[in-house]
């Protein structure tokens, strides 16, 4: 007990002079810094660090006071349990806002803790639709969600790939089912000529798809949509070829990987596979992004891995809301954040009433000559 | 009609693999009254060894014809699976032979988890693409397509089953196995070395699982450390369906189960107007199992075992 109060006194003694000089705004960042996708978490953290350093160079004033931004980073190891534990830690540390988490699986449970504490949270990369459907006014994201991805693919299938008879398979996971259902909505909303001729299901551990593919073949589809991951998508493509189904094959970011080529072998026909990923850089933003990549490389000595630009944008958007509101008090800047328009390196950032990014960009890819090739960036 | 015929082919191919694995379950049960729940993972080891051999051959001898490479992979996978299964028998079952029945069941599950973990450490967590060695071009039989891999599988499975029947019905070792299955104590008194018979049984079961495993990988084109569990469970159901302990039952049960699964998954959506869908693919096996066991507890070709005691 005595030790504790001495500790508290020491903290006070140290903290008081700092407060007198300038106001410190603490922003939390959470991502997996350990575990299988630690490289992605580190990339995000670097993006956030870059934003903090740029903000501090600018000598910003908020509410007439000189401010200094400070980044508190935590590791959730992509584990939901650890995610909620570190979320509580950040709340206890009285951060003004949180950037993160990286995975949907950690972002969703943690969002309740931030919401209860009234602390705004912007995820740079969680795409599960549930995150913004919980009615939390503190939850935002700067990346298109799985629903937007699915419906964009649906529109693309009908309008550009000119599919009329479509078969849909999903792996019954939250992700696969969600993408497939949004795809059907997006495809059938656009044209009455479109038929969903077959609806089949599998699971994320299955290896035998002959039975469902034979049933699909009988319906003569010109496009097969698959909601699921590349581990299933690859063998599925090979078995399609074996059964003589020559339809186009479409899917979300789950199949949109380099691994698909390895898993599917020569069953990936030229331009046969169409897939999409959230995020994408249009012509107009190319220069801004190139500058960002240069700065990043100069500072950290490595190239951007994946979501660092989105993390950077998320933090900058939050800081801009604080400047505009003239306060780093969550209650005061939160309404400003909800209505903000911020020109980031990934494009224009503004949120809809749920906290999802408005018109989030998506990139559509295909595979040609054993390589993934970008077809279009669409919103 | 084409579709129906295609589903029959799909079912036969799947059923042959179930049958090969089911034989392993049923033979071990025949001599030991034990369900070797690690048998599905022996299949997985077969697939993994097959992948490793094929990957090696792709770089070491790229000009060999696909069928030869696949043959080498099978021949290479068999001894590994046999050794693994013999070790399992030695380590997990032999000392427990006179223990209550529950004990070897638990060690079987333990061995299953152990094998999966080892495989995960050696080959990693992610699915591995099975090297494509056979051409994808298929034969067209009345509108239904059958790939060269599938033809090879059907030929191999038939050969293996005929060979097994001959071994059991016509050889000295086969007679010893039948005698041990019938009554181990009296067989022992008649000079049958029961340990030898049991090791032989495990070895044959593992060899059949190795064949099924490599062909499983070649036909469905992926491999992963946890992939043995579901096929293993279904092959076990096939063995029970046919009448556990009876090798003809395992063959019939396996093929029947493959057909039911393919036809069920292929038609359930249309038959129920979309109310039930192909996500029920994995439960057909078990529904049929429950129905058959309710009507005929000893399975389709099984004999009553109650008189054994």
């Amino acid at each position: 007990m005595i030790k504790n109060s001495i500790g508290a006194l020491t903290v006070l003694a140290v903290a008081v002079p700092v407060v007198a000089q300038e106001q410190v705004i603490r922003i939390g960042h959470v991502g997996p810094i350990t575990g299988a996708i630690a490289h992605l978490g580190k990339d995000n953290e670097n993006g956030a660090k870059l934003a903090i350093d740029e903000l501090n160079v600018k000598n910003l004033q908020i509410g007439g006071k000189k401010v200094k931004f400070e980044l508190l980073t935590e590791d959730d190891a992509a584990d939901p349990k650890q995610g909620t534990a570190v979320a509580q830690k950040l709340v206890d540390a009285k951060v003004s806002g949180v950037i993160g988490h990286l995975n949907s699986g950690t972002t969703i449970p943690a969002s309740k803790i931030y919401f209860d504490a009234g602390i705004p949270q912007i995820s740079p990369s969680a795409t599960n639709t549930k995150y913004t459907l919980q009615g939390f006014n503190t939850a935002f994201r700067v990346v298109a969600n799985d629903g937007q991805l699915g419906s964009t693919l649906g529109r693309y299938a009908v309008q550009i790939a000119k599919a009329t008879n479509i078969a849909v398979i999903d792996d019954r996971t939250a992700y696969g089912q969600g993408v497939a259902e949004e795809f059907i909505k997006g495809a059938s909303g656009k044209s009455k000529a479109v038929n969903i001729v077959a609806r089949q299901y599998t699971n994320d551990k299955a290896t035998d798809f002959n039975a469902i593919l034979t049933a699909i073949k009988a319906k003569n589809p010109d496009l097969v949509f698959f909601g699921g991951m590349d581990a299933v998508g690859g063998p599925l493509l090979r078995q399609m070829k074996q059964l003589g189904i020559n339809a186009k094959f479409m899917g979300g970011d789950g199949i949109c990987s380099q691994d698909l080529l390895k898993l599917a072998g020569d069953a990936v026909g030229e331009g046969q596979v169409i897939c999409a990923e959230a995020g994408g850089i249009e012509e107009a933003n190319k220069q801004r992004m190139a500058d960002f990549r240069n700065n990043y490389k100069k500072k950290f000595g490595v190239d951007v891995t994946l979501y660092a630009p989105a993390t950077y944008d998320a933090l900058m958007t939050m800081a801009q809301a604080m400047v505009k509101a003239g306060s780093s008090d969550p209650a005061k800047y939160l309404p400003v954040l909800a209505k903000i328009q911020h020109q980031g390196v990934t494009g224009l950032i503004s949120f809809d009433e749920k906290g999802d990014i408005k018109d989030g960009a998506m990139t559509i890819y295909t595979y040609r000559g054993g390589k993934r090739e970008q077809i279009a960036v669409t919103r | 009609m084409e579709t129906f015929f295609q589903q029959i082919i799909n079912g036969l191919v799947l059923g042959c693999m179930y049958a090969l694995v089911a034989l392993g379950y049923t033979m071990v049960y025949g001599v030991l009254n034990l369900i070797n729940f690690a048998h599905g993972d022996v299949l997985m080891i077969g697939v993994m060894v097959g992948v490793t051999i094929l990957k090696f051959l792709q770089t070491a001898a790229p000009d060999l014809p696909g069928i030869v490479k696949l043959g080498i992979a099978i021949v290479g996978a068999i001894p590994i699976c046999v050794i693994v299964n013999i070790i399992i028998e030695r380590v997990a079952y032999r000392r427990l032979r006179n223990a209550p029945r529950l004990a070897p069941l638990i060690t079987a599950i333990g061995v299953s988890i152990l094998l999966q973990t080892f495989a995960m450490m050696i080959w990693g967590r992610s699915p591995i693409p099975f090297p494509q060695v056979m051409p994808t071009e298929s034969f067209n039989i009345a509108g239904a397509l059958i790939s060269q891999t599938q033809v090879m599988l059907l030929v191999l499975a038939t050969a293996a089953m005929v060979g097994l029947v001959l071994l059991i019905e016509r050889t000295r070792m086969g007679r010893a196995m039948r005698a041990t299955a019938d009554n181990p104590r009296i067989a022992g008194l008649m000079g049958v070395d029961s340990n030898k018979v049991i090791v032989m049984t495990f070895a044959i079961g593992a060899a059949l699982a190795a064949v099924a495993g490599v062909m499983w990988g070649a036909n469905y084109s992926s491999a992963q450390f946890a992939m043995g569990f579901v096929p293993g469970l279904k092959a076990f159901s096939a063995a029970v369906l046919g009448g556990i302990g009876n090798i003809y039952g395992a063959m019939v049960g396996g093929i029947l189960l493959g057909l039911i699964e393919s036809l069920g998954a292929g038609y359930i959506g249309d038959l129920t107007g979309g109310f039930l869908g192909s996500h029920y693919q994995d439960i057909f096996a078990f529904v049929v199992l429950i129905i058959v066991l309710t009507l005929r507890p000893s399975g389709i070709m099984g004999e009553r075992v109650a008189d054994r005691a």
Side-chain angles (χ1 to χ4, degrees):
Chain A
M1 194 64 211
I2 290 170
K3 253 190 196 160
N4 274 348
S5 23
I6 293 172
L9 279 175
T10 331
V11 168
L12 271 179
V14 175
V16 167
V18 176
V19 171
Q21 289 164 5
E22 53 187 3
Q23 191 196 349
V24 174
I25 299 177
R26 296 169 141 188
I27 294 181
H29 172 267
V30 194
I33 311 296
T34 55
I37 52 168
H39 56 298
L40 297 181
K42 197 71 201 156
D43 183 50
N44 280 17
E45 191 186 326
N46 284 347
K49 269 187 191 154
L50 199 61
I52 292 277
D53 289 350
E54 281 182 25
L55 286 170
N56 282 338
V57 172
K58 281 185 190 160
N59 284 322
L60 289 174
Q61 296 224 330
I62 291 181
K65 259 185 272 174
K66 198 165 163 266
V67 295
K68 183 174 178 292
F69 286 91
E70 192 182 276
L71 192 68
L72 293 186
T73 61
E74 290 292 345
D75 175 19
D76 66 16
D79 169 37
K81 270 208 310 259
Q82 199 167 328
T84 48
V86 296
Q88 191 58 50
K89 206 169 150 193
L90 288 176
V91 167
D92 294 344
K94 301 222 173 342
V95 293
S96 300
V98 173
I99 305 299
H101 305 192
L102 189 146
N103 314 75
S104 296
T106 50
T107 302
I108 295 170
S111 62
K112 169 99 172 66
I113 294 169
Y114 301 127
F115 170 69
D116 288 342
I119 294 174
Q121 171 193 15
I122 308 179
S123 171
S125 51
T127 56
N128 193 301
T129 47
K130 262 193 217 143
Y131 171 49
T132 48
L133 288 177
Q134 306 170 97
F136 297 165
N137 65 344
T138 48
F140 301 91
R141 68 175 129 210
V142 293
V143 62
N145 69 31
D146 293 341
Q148 293 165 314
L149 191 78
S151 59
T152 303
L153 279 169
R155 287 201 303 275
Y156 190 89
V158 175
Q159 290 170 338
I160 297 165
K162 303 281 178 219
T164 48
N165 291 325
I166 299 176
V168 180
I169 311 171
D170 76 59
D171 67 359
R172 297 278 97 185
T173 59
Y175 165 75
Q177 193 176 347
V179 173
E181 267 154 26
E182 291 297 330
F183 169 83
I184 292 174
K185 274 189 226 157
S188 36
K190 282 296 142 185
S191 154
K192 290 218 166 62
V194 171
N195 298 310
I196 304 296
V197 291
R199 185 82 176 88
Q200 296 286 348
Y201 313 92
T202 179
N203 65 64
D204 58 345
K205 287 172 198 73
T207 47
D208 169 23
F209 315 105
N210 281 330
I212 60 170
L213 286 174
T214 300
I216 281 174
K217 192 189 176 187
K219 303 287 169 64
N220 245 330
D222 44 21
L223 187 142
V224 175
F225 183 87
F226 173 60
M229 306 304 286
D230 52 6
V232 170
L236 193 68
L237 257 168
R238 272 212 220 170
Q239 290 172 39
M240 264 172 72
K241 185 170 178 195
Q242 217 171 56
L243 285 169
I245 304 173
N246 297 315
K248 283 209 183 301
F249 187 73
M250 196 181 230
D253 52 344
I255 67 157
C256 216
S257 66
Q258 281 299 329
D259 281 357
L260 185 74
L261 284 168
K262 275 192 271 163
L263 291 161
D266 72 351
V268 180
E270 295 289 287
Q272 186 202 357
V273 178
I274 302 166
C275 60
E277 252 175 27
I281 303 304
E282 287 134 316
E283 271 315 309
N285 286 322
K286 281 238 163 94
Q287 190 51 47
R288 233 181 263 127
M289 183 57 108
D291 292 345
F292 175 83
R293 284 174 187 275
N294 275 337
N295 288 344
Y296 185 98
K297 176 118 198 207
K298 237 186 269 165
K299 190 162 166 66
F300 302 108
V302 287
D303 284 315
V304 169
T305 312
L306 197 58
Y307 303 120
T311 318
Y312 172 88
D313 275 359
L315 206 151
M316 283 303 196
T317 307
M318 187 178 271
Q320 202 203 340
M322 291 176 184
V323 173
K324 263 188 146 177
S327 167
S328 64
D329 178 2
K332 293 203 176 110
Y333 85 84
L334 183 59
V336 181
L337 180 63
K339 289 200 200 72
I340 203 141
Q341 296 251 333
H342 174 75
Q343 183 59 56
V345 292
T346 59
L348 185 70
I349 291 168
S350 61
F351 302 107
D352 67 10
E353 67 284 356
K354 295 201 305 285
D356 279 317
I357 186 163
K358 271 189 201 157
D359 295 328
M362 260 152 285
T363 310
I364 296 181
Y365 295 94
T366 189
Y367 296 85
R368 277 205 187 88
K371 268 211 197 100
R372 196 175 77 158
E373 196 175 275
Q374 183 174 331
I375 312 178
V377 174
T378 162
R379 277 180 191 270
Chain B
M1 203 57 209
E2 275 168 30
T3 307
F4 180 74
F5 195 37
Q6 182 75 59
Q7 293 291 22
I8 297 285
I9 292 177
N10 296 341
L12 273 180
V13 168
L14 184 63
C16 275
M17 289 187 280
Y18 285 160
L20 289 178
V21 184
L23 282 167
Y25 278 102
T26 225
M27 285 164 62
V28 167
Y29 186 86
V31 296
L32 277 185
N33 270 10
L34 157 85
I35 304 295
N36 175 13
F37 269 114
H39 197 56
D41 299 296
V42 176
L43 168 112
M44 176 272 296
I45 298 283
V47 187
M48 291 303 194
V49 172
V51 170
T52 308
I53 293 174
L54 285 175
K55 275 193 178 157
F56 171 74
L57 287 177
Q58 295 285 58
T59 49
D63 297 332
L64 278 181
I67 193 159
V68 176
K69 284 188 200 158
L70 209 51
I72 296 175
I74 292 174
V75 171
I78 288 174
I80 308 278
C81 288
V82 167
I83 292 168
V84 167
N85 220 14
I86 289 176
I87 294 175
I88 294 174
E89 193 272 327
R90 193 68 227 232
V91 173
Y93 304 140
R94 187 170 290 189
R95 282 174 169 278
L96 296 171
R97 222 173 268 164
N98 296 315
R101 282 217 187 166
L102 207 52
L105 190 76
I106 302 294
T107 53
I109 294 168
V111 167
S112 165
I113 295 170
L114 198 72
L115 284 180
Q116 287 188 27
T117 312
F118 271 137
M120 190 178 80
M121 282 157 61
I122 300 171
W123 288 285
R125 295 185 65 88
S126 341
I128 309 171
F130 197 91
Q132 202 172 346
V133 287
M134 298 284 277
T136 16
E137 280 68 44
S138 308
F139 302 109
N140 191 328
I141 308 172
L145 297 174
I146 181 162
S147 72
Q148 299 179 27
T149 315
Q150 289 169 330
V151 174
M152 184 175 166
L153 172 87
L154 293 177
V155 171
L156 268 179
T158 314
M161 287 189 233
V162 170
L164 182 70
V165 169
L166 290 178
L167 179 96
I168 297 216
E169 303 282 356
R170 297 282 165 84
T171 65
R172 233 181 122 73
M173 177 46 83
R175 197 160 32 154
M177 286 167 82
R178 275 181 289 142
T180 309
D182 199 49
N183 192 322
R185 270 191 59 220
I186 295 177
L189 292 173
M190 295 295 164
V192 173
D193 180 349
S194 69
N195 273 340
K196 213 169 139 194
V197 167
I198 288 164
V199 167
M200 194 64 192
T201 308
F202 273 83
I204 295 171
L208 295 174
V211 175
V214 176
M215 294 314 291
W216 186 287
N219 191 37
Y220 300 127
S221 73
S222 78
Q224 206 226 358
F225 76 95
M227 66 177 290
F229 182 71
V230 172
L233 210 56
K234 284 189 192 155
F236 164 64
S237 310
V240 176
L241 182 64
I244 188 114
N246 181 316
I247 60 162
Y248 300 102
M251 298 178 197
V252 170
I255 289 169
L256 203 61
L257 208 61
L259 287 172
I260 292 167
E261 199 178 310
S262 283
L263 292 172
Y267 288 105
I268 190 168
D270 288 346
L271 288 180
T272 59
F275 176 65
L276 297 175
S278 47
H279 37 309
Y280 293 102
Q281 178 166 6
D282 283 350
I283 68 169
F284 294 121
F286 305 108
V287 170
V288 170
L289 183 69
I290 291 167
I291 294 171
V292 170
L293 290 186
T294 314
L295 300 176
R296 198 183 149 79
S298 53
I300 297 170
M301 304 186 78
E303 299 132 31
R304 287 172 164 275
V305 280
D307 59 346
R308 174 92 150 264

